[in-house]
Amino acid sequence: EVFFKLKVNMVKKINKNKMWGGRFNADQDKIMIEMNSSVNFDSRFYTEDINASIAHAKMLAKTKIITSKEARKIVVGLNKIKSEFESGKFNLDPLLEDIHMNIESNLQKKIGDVAKKLHTGRSRNDQVATDMRLYIRKECNVMINLICNLQLELSKKALKYYDFIMPGFTHLQVAQPVTLGHHLLAYVEMLERDKSRFQDAIKRINQNPLGAAALAGTTFPIDRNMTTKELGFTEPMANSIDAVSARDFIIEPLSAISILATHLSRFSEEIILWVSDGFNFIELPESLSTGSSIMPQKKNPDIAELVRGKNGRIISALLSILVVMKGLPLAYSKDLQEDKELTFDAIDSIMISLRAINAITKKLKPKKENLLIAAEESYSTATDLADWLVANLNVPFRESHKITGHIVKYCETKKIKLSEMKIDELKKFHKDINNGIYDVLSAKQSVNHKKSFGSTSPLMVNKAAKKWVNKLHNEKK
């Protein structure tokens, strides 16, 4: 949250960047400054930039490129700058373009010319790649934790409502009865795959580009293994050109974020449907609803609609970075500055979406009677009837499917449910049908008879929900 307290000084006088302007005589044009400056958004990863600079300074001292005394002075100065950021007192100068130049310039003011030695053996090209990797690694771990929280909340709800019967849908038409717990656990499974995508992406994010310099490495005897260890990376990147120009470490988590966002959007869509008068399956509390400025009776599920809406922004971020990257020659080009705003926006959007869906899950109240009534509609146990004919009368499934279709058509004409048919009526469709068929014609009987692994029977759902709750509790320890 500190990021939003930072102050950016307005450009009062056109000037050139003193950090690299040695070969320039002319001042920069105002539009060049405005176009080139990224400090308004890349200041978000000031912590990562300072931590990487501290690791770099320690390494320079160990390799005797600078003295230990100089390194200590640099580290003390950088820690003071970090404190200023955290207290919201650091003033950002857009003339210095980015967070790296702002920190280095401020360091010079604090400790003098020794600060100018910090940039030895590195470039902003490897510096920004390092900062972004550190930042995205951190945010991926936060997202993994938020996913785990949501999974746990869904699993608890699944355990609580493991035997609440509701209609399952295909084509948004009533298909077969399922349990609410089973339905909620479907999202737990999706989120587990989402979580694994972030965990897997971290393996490739967690490689150290620092020391690649501009693109060719450096003539100084730096120790890239030391900075790798200091910053918690697994290994230094093996090719300096790849190290500064690669952005697949952004594309991959954005892809995972986009997939996660679609899962949250699907859940949001169901919440929106379920609270509508047409479904009336659940109730959301007033604390998670909004009203209308003109219609006093309205209670709108805006929170779910906003999660659904953020999907467009998130997917657009992924598409944008792919378009930016598709035509870039090696190594670094300033186009790569466009990777940040869209990444930050996608991360912010998915974070708030995860918290919103967690709140919805925690506070939704299912309407048990309405769910059961809906589950009994539209001849939802017809498949159970067909299966009964196969299992008990040895009717081939395709034949039983045809017989059941005729029975359903008959019930539609008579405007009765399958369970309301008399045995004499049923025998007209197959002479060997007996009273045992009534064991499968209700929604409750339908779900209770499901035996296959991963099915919707309350027994299976109860076991699965308990397993997930225990697993997720252990993950959070």
Side-chain angles (χ1 to χ4, degrees):
E1 300 300 328
V2 174
F3 167 72
F4 298 102
K5 300 177 185 176
L6 302 178
K7 307 168 187 174
V8 181
N9 291 327
M10 296 299 292
V11 178
K12 296 177 181 177
K13 180 183 178 183
I14 303 302
N15 208 329
K16 61 187 177 183
N17 189 322
K18 295 181 175 63
M19 305 300 288
W20 49 252
R23 63 92 65 214
F24 288 80
N25 292 320
D27 289 344
Q28 281 191 291
D29 193 284
K30 186 176 180 180
I31 187 60
M32 185 64 226
I33 294 171
E34 186 179 348
M35 192 76 173
N36 198 39
S37 178
S38 61
V39 72
N40 275 317
F41 49 85
D42 65 19
S43 51
R44 176 183 289 231
F45 53 63
Y46 71 87
T47 300
E48 287 72 28
D49 192 74
I50 291 170
N51 289 343
S53 289
I54 289 172
H56 187 67
K58 289 179 179 179
M59 180 275 296
L60 291 176
K62 182 189 174 187
T63 54
K64 302 189 184 306
I65 297 170
I66 65 174
T67 67
S68 295
K69 183 179 179 181
E70 288 171 330
R72 283 194 297 271
K73 198 171 183 180
I74 289 170
V75 171
V76 169
L78 287 169
N79 280 322
K80 286 181 180 177
I81 291 172
K82 186 187 288 187
S83 296
E84 289 179 11
F85 271 104
E86 290 169 350
S87 64
K89 294 178 181 178
F90 192 96
N91 290 320
L92 294 163
D93 184 353
L95 274 175
L96 294 171
E97 297 178 21
D98 55 37
I99 187 61
H100 323 292
M101 295 290 93
N102 268 268
I103 289 174
E104 189 175 333
S105 177
N106 190 277
L107 185 64
Q108 288 181 25
K109 292 175 183 176
K110 280 184 167 53
I111 67 172
D113 285 348
V114 67
K116 295 178 180 179
K117 295 187 176 185
L118 174 59
H119 209 53
T120 307
R122 73 175 186 185
S123 161
R124 277 188 298 173
N125 293 357
D126 62 337
Q127 195 176 356
V128 69
T130 303
D131 292 354
M132 280 295 281
R133 284 178 181 270
L134 291 171
Y135 177 81
I136 292 175
R137 182 183 70 185
K138 176 183 72 178
E139 296 302 303
C140 280
N141 281 312
V142 173
M143 284 185 276
I144 288 168
N145 187 56
L146 288 174
I147 292 170
C148 190
N149 291 342
L150 177 54
Q151 284 181 292
L152 182 57
E153 202 57 52
L154 284 164
S155 298
K156 287 178 180 178
K157 273 291 193 286
L159 187 58
K160 185 175 183 179
Y161 304 124
Y162 76 97
D163 60 349
F164 276 32
I165 298 170
M166 66 174 288
F169 297 89
T170 61
H171 309 280
L172 204 56
Q173 305 292 313
V174 174
Q176 291 180 272
V178 296
T179 57
L180 178 57
H182 193 55
H183 194 103
L184 295 175
L185 287 179
Y187 285 102
V188 177
E189 297 285 345
M190 291 182 214
L191 290 167
E192 184 68 11
R193 295 192 296 275
D194 289 320
K195 194 166 64 180
S196 69
R197 275 184 276 272
F198 288 111
Q199 290 165 337
D200 196 51
I202 287 173
K203 297 173 186 176
R204 285 171 287 282
I205 294 167
N206 205 29
Q207 296 175 323
N208 183 18
L210 191 59
L215 77 160
T218 178
T219 57
F220 293 97
I222 61 172
D223 184 349
R224 295 188 64 207
N225 288 313
M226 179 181 172
T227 54
T228 295
K229 185 176 181 181
E230 285 280 333
L231 295 171
F233 287 118
T234 53
E235 59 185 352
M237 294 187 73
N239 184 286
S240 59
I241 294 176
D242 179 47
V244 298
S245 62
R247 288 299 182 271
D248 52 349
F249 72 91
I250 293 174
I251 294 170
E252 188 172 4
L254 281 180
S255 177
I257 289 171
S258 297
I259 296 170
L260 169 59
T262 62
H263 290 155
L264 299 185
S265 184
R266 294 181 75 182
F267 187 75
S268 298
E269 174 67 12
E270 295 201 310
I271 294 299
I272 294 161
L273 290 171
W274 290 356
V275 299
S276 69
D277 292 336
F279 282 75
N280 199 20
F281 285 178
I282 64 169
E283 182 179 357
L284 281 183
E286 292 181 0
S287 62
L288 293 178
S289 306
T290 63
S292 165
S293 62
I294 188 173
M295 297 171 284
Q297 84 281 9
K298 295 298 293 296
K299 182 182 174 186
N300 300 323
D302 284 16
I303 187 170
E305 292 170 5
L306 288 165
V307 171
R308 184 177 61 182
K310 285 189 181 295
N311 218 42
R313 288 169 67 171
I314 291 169
I315 293 171
S316 294
L318 174 60
L319 292 175
S320 294
I321 186 63
L322 287 169
V323 172
V324 167
M325 293 302 298
K326 73 165 184 65
L328 291 187
L330 297 177
Y332 183 86
S333 297
K334 201 59 179 272
D335 310 52
L336 292 174
Q337 183 167 289
E338 293 300 315
D339 64 357
K340 296 171 190 63
E341 287 179 284
L342 56 89
T343 300
F344 299 153
D345 185 70
I347 289 172
D348 290 344
S349 294
I350 200 65
M351 295 280 198
I352 196 169
S353 295
L354 283 164
R355 294 199 298 272
I357 296 299
N358 194 306
I360 290 170
T361 304
K362 189 176 292 186
K363 295 185 178 181
L364 67 82
K365 292 182 180 178
K367 297 180 178 181
K368 186 176 183 179
E369 185 177 346
N370 291 358
L371 288 167
L372 180 58
I373 290 171
E376 297 280 7
E377 296 294 324
S378 301
Y379 311 103
S380 63
T381 58
T383 303
D384 298 275
L385 191 159
D387 288 345
W388 187 91
L389 293 173
V390 173
N392 292 273
L393 304 183
N394 201 29
V395 176
F397 181 77
R398 282 298 164 209
E399 183 64 26
S400 75
H401 186 284
K402 184 177 180 179
I403 291 169
T404 304
H406 290 318
I407 293 173
V408 169
K409 190 68 176 176
Y410 175 84
C411 288
E412 285 179 336
T413 303
K414 294 288 185 179
K415 293 182 171 49
I416 59 174
K417 296 178 180 179
L418 289 172
S419 58
E420 293 173 337
M421 288 186 72
K422 294 181 172 51
I423 191 67
D424 291 341
E425 292 175 295
L426 286 164
K427 282 182 174 291
K428 291 177 183 178
F429 297 93
H430 194 290
K431 62 182 178 63
D432 293 330
I433 290 177
N434 56 61
N435 287 326
I437 201 168
Y438 291 108
D439 290 340
V440 300
L441 296 184
S442 75
K444 184 176 181 179
Q445 290 165 331
S446 173
V447 297
N448 284 332
H449 278 85
K450 296 297 184 292
K451 299 175 182 178
S452 58
F453 174 75
S455 64
T456 193
S457 72
L459 180 64
M460 290 277 192
V461 173
N462 186 270
K463 287 181 180 179
K466 285 179 179 177
K467 181 180 177 181
W468 273 113
V469 169
N470 291 333
K471 178 181 185 294
L472 293 162
H473 273 308
N474 290 332
E475 280 186 24
K476 292 183 68 63
K477 286 180 182 178

